[in-house]
Amino acid sequence: MSGWMWLRIGAMSGFLAVAAGAFGAHGLDGKIEPRRLANFDTAATYQMYHALALLAVGLLAASGRSGMAVTVAGWGFLVGTLIFSGSLYALALTGERRLGMITPFGGLAFLVGWAALAVAAKGAGPGSP
């Protein structure tokens, strides 16, 4: 996927994270139990962190640092957001605790993404080969 596509995906994910955070703070406050609201907030927070990470992936790829590590990082962050944040959003909205069983797989995808981003960024910067 091109750097520009990762930038677009990161921007859209950031937009959705802000919208979800606002919905949680204004639309759900007092309507669901505090623990579920905290889960929703965690989902929005992690989505925003990883939207920013997707922007970093896009910038690396757009600057010519594309390769397997950049691709793995992007997909790790995207899949992690869908599974981690998605399962927490669903858990908060439905109260179905079994949904929390898949959340760690999203966390694992995030870890893969961060490790791959570190590899992709190796040697990046002024004066680097």
Side-chain angles (χ1 to χ4, degrees):
M1 204 174 313
S2 75
W4 302 112
M5 184 57 73
W6 287 121
L7 285 167
R8 280 191 218 81
I9 292 169
M12 288 185 295
S13 185
F15 173 91
L16 292 172
V18 171
F23 175 68
H26 302 290
L28 294 178
D29 191 28
K31 293 186 174 81
I32 61 174
E33 61 190 63
R35 181 176 178 165
R36 287 171 51 195
L37 187 58
N39 286 337
F40 196 92
D41 183 57
T42 297
T45 299
Y46 272 71
Q47 183 175 351
M48 179 55 78
Y49 292 153
H50 292 90
L52 296 172
L54 283 164
L55 295 177
V57 167
L59 291 172
L60 273 175
S63 70
R65 306 266 321 166
S66 61
M68 182 60 78
V70 172
T71 300
V72 168
W75 282 107
F77 297 141
L78 181 57
V79 169
T81 298
L82 293 172
I83 296 173
F84 184 90
S85 293
S87 66
L88 287 180
Y89 287 136
L91 170 66
L93 293 172
T94 67
E96 181 57 54
R97 296 179 53 93
R98 289 182 291 174
L99 290 167
M101 293 172 53
I102 65 168
T103 305
F105 294 106
L108 182 60
F110 284 152
L111 292 172
V112 168
W114 284 110
L117 184 61
V119 170
K122 184 177 185 253
S128 297

